[in-house]
Amino acid sequence: SIALLYCVLISIRSKSTNEIILASRILGLLSLTVGCQDIGVEHEILEDSIPRISQALKLDSDPSSLLCLLESLAIVTFVEEYDPQDT
């Protein structure tokens, strides 16, 4: 899962809008799938994703890729902060 994370983060730096959109969706799904099972991995996903997403948000101007990047950031942050004991 960590290897997949780094492949996705590399794709987020891509110039292709479609690749950014797909990578950000994969990042959100990876966060939901892995993060709910392994606390250490969810923290690593958040730590490694924020700088890459922030950089991509500054460089990209396409509204659809910006929206997908923001959605994936929201999902990653939610999974990091989610605590099943609170429910």
Side-chain angles (χ1 to χ4, degrees):
S1 61
I2 297 301
L4 179 60
L5 170 66
Y6 290 115
C7 290
V8 168
L9 293 177
I10 289 169
S11 294
I12 285 178
R13 293 178 21 194
S14 170
K15 300 279 188 217
S16 166
T17 300
N18 288 335
E19 192 170 345
I20 293 171
I21 290 170
L22 290 173
S24 61
R25 289 181 179 166
I26 292 170
L27 180 62
L29 290 172
L30 179 68
S31 179
L32 286 171
T33 305
V34 176
C36 293
Q37 299 171 359
D38 189 352
I39 294 170
V41 173
E42 73 185 28
H43 186 69
E44 186 170 350
I45 290 173
L46 179 68
E47 276 188 350
D48 294 341
S49 300
I50 288 179
R52 300 283 175 99
I53 291 174
S54 297
Q55 182 182 18
L57 287 170
K58 291 176 189 174
L59 298 176
D60 200 358
S61 61
D62 182 55
S64 58
S65 62
L66 292 175
L67 180 62
C68 284
L69 287 166
L70 289 173
E71 287 174 349
S72 68
L73 180 61
I75 292 169
V76 169
T77 305
F78 174 78
V79 171
E80 166 66 22
E81 294 299 318
Y82 177 72
D83 186 5
Q85 296 175 351
D86 291 343
T87 57

